[in-house]
């Protein structure tokens, strides 16, 4: 089978055209469309049309945070790797992942809890600027975030809550949706670090269009 050679941007453009065509009569809200379509592009899963949930004015709040130089904290190295760091840096932000730090591992072992939980504590202790949390793997990270919020130890600028799995996953997402912080959450079991990175990148590309990067 002979297939034409396409440049990366051509592949992406065709992919988004296919997504738009296959959505058919589904009408997406204008501000949410880039996020939903990029998640579909990343996963090839159209279920996200129905399962991605947005708090009131979520997209604008996230964009305002990014444009004001907010940092991003992830719960996995995979999400860290997937986020477009040059674009984030142009907006004045940096991305952090503390989950593999030695002090985090030691504290987690001593308390018998997950490193993802402790990494949220470290973020609360060490970051002193507006922060977006992008959680794609560990529901315990969301549960610890909720505890820190209730204790007044942290106030996230925004939360992307899309952990994947079976244990406490759905519940952790519901808890974040009731926490009072602005969010984008994937209801149900689906999600992943790639989804968290895709949502952040979609927001970054709106906040800083590629022609201006």
């Amino acid at each position: 089978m002979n297939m034409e050679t396409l440049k990366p941007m051509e592949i992406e453009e065709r992919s988004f055209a296919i997504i738009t065509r296959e959505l058919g009569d589904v009408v997406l809200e204008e501000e949410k469309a880039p996020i939903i379509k990029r998640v579909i592009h990343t996963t090839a899963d159209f279920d996200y049309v129905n399962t991605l949930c947005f708090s009131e004015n979520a997209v604008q709040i996230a964009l305002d945070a990014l444009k004001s130089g907010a940092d991003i904290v992830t719960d996995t190295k995979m999400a860290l790797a997937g986020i477009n760091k040059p674009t984030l840096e142009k907006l004045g932000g940096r991305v952090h992942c503390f989950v593999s730090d030695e002090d985090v591992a030691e504290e987690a072992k001593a308390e018998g809890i997950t490193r993802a939980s402790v990494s949220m504590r470290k973020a609360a202790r060490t970051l002193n600027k507006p922060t977006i949390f992008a959680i794609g793997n560990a529901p315990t990270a969301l549960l610890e975030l909720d505890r820190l919020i209730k204790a007044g130890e942290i106030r996230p600028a925004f939360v992307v809550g899309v952990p994947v799995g079976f244990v406490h996953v759905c519940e952790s997402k519901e808890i974040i949706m009731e926490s009072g912080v602005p969010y984008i959450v994937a209801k149900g079991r689906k999600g992943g670090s790639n989804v968290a990175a895709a949502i952040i990148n979609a927001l970054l590309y709106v906040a800083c269009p590629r022609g201006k990067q």
Side-chain angles (χ1 to χ4, degrees):
M1 180 182 295
N2 293 323
M3 291 183 287
E4 61 182 313
T5 300
L6 297 171
K7 295 179 180 179
M9 285 304 298
E10 291 175 323
I11 294 171
E12 182 171 302
E13 288 171 2
R14 288 198 185 186
S15 296
F16 275 86
I18 291 169
I19 291 166
T20 299
R21 184 172 69 246
E22 293 197 11
L23 283 170
D25 295 332
V26 174
V27 178
L28 303 177
E29 292 181 40
E30 185 177 357
E31 66 173 9
K32 298 177 183 177
I35 292 92
I36 296 170
K37 287 183 178 181
R38 187 156 293 278
V39 171
I40 294 171
H41 176 256
T42 297
T43 62
D45 188 343
F46 283 80
D47 282 353
Y48 285 103
V49 170
N50 299 313
T51 60
L52 274 186
C53 299
F54 298 72
S55 61
E56 187 175 358
N57 298 321
V59 174
Q60 190 58 55
I61 291 169
L63 292 176
D64 289 345
L66 289 170
K67 290 176 182 179
S68 66
D71 278 1
I72 295 171
V73 170
T74 77
D75 64 329
T76 65
K77 294 289 188 181
M78 184 182 294
L80 174 73
I83 290 171
N84 189 318
K85 287 169 280 294
T87 301
L88 178 61
E89 289 166 6
K90 283 184 181 295
L91 294 168
R94 294 180 58 202
V95 60
H96 310 269
C97 181
F98 302 120
V99 75
S100 297
D101 290 3
E102 186 175 345
D103 58 337
V104 168
E106 290 175 355
E107 185 177 338
K109 183 177 181 181
E111 294 196 28
I113 59 177
T114 68
R115 288 183 296 164
S117 296
V118 178
S119 71
M120 298 299 104
R121 296 180 185 178
K122 183 167 183 177
R125 291 194 302 262
T126 59
L127 297 179
N128 56 5
K129 63 183 297 191
T131 304
I132 295 172
F133 287 82
I135 309 302
N137 181 68
T140 55
L142 289 184
L143 295 173
E144 182 63 18
L145 265 183
D146 182 64
R147 187 191 72 78
L148 291 165
I149 291 165
K150 288 184 168 123
E153 296 179 39
I154 196 169
R155 184 67 184 179
F158 198 83
V159 174
V160 173
V162 292
V164 60
F166 299 93
V167 179
H168 300 322
V169 169
C170 299
E171 296 90 340
S172 70
K173 294 172 180 178
E174 294 289 343
I175 285 169
I176 284 298
M177 291 172 70
E178 296 170 359
S179 67
V181 299
Y183 63 79
I184 296 174
V185 162
K187 291 189 72 173
R189 295 172 171 176
K190 292 182 181 180
S193 296
N194 58 333
V195 175
I199 291 170
I200 293 295
N201 286 339
L203 292 165
L204 285 171
Y205 298 149
V206 174
C208 185
R210 293 187 182 187
K212 298 180 180 179
Q213 293 176 29

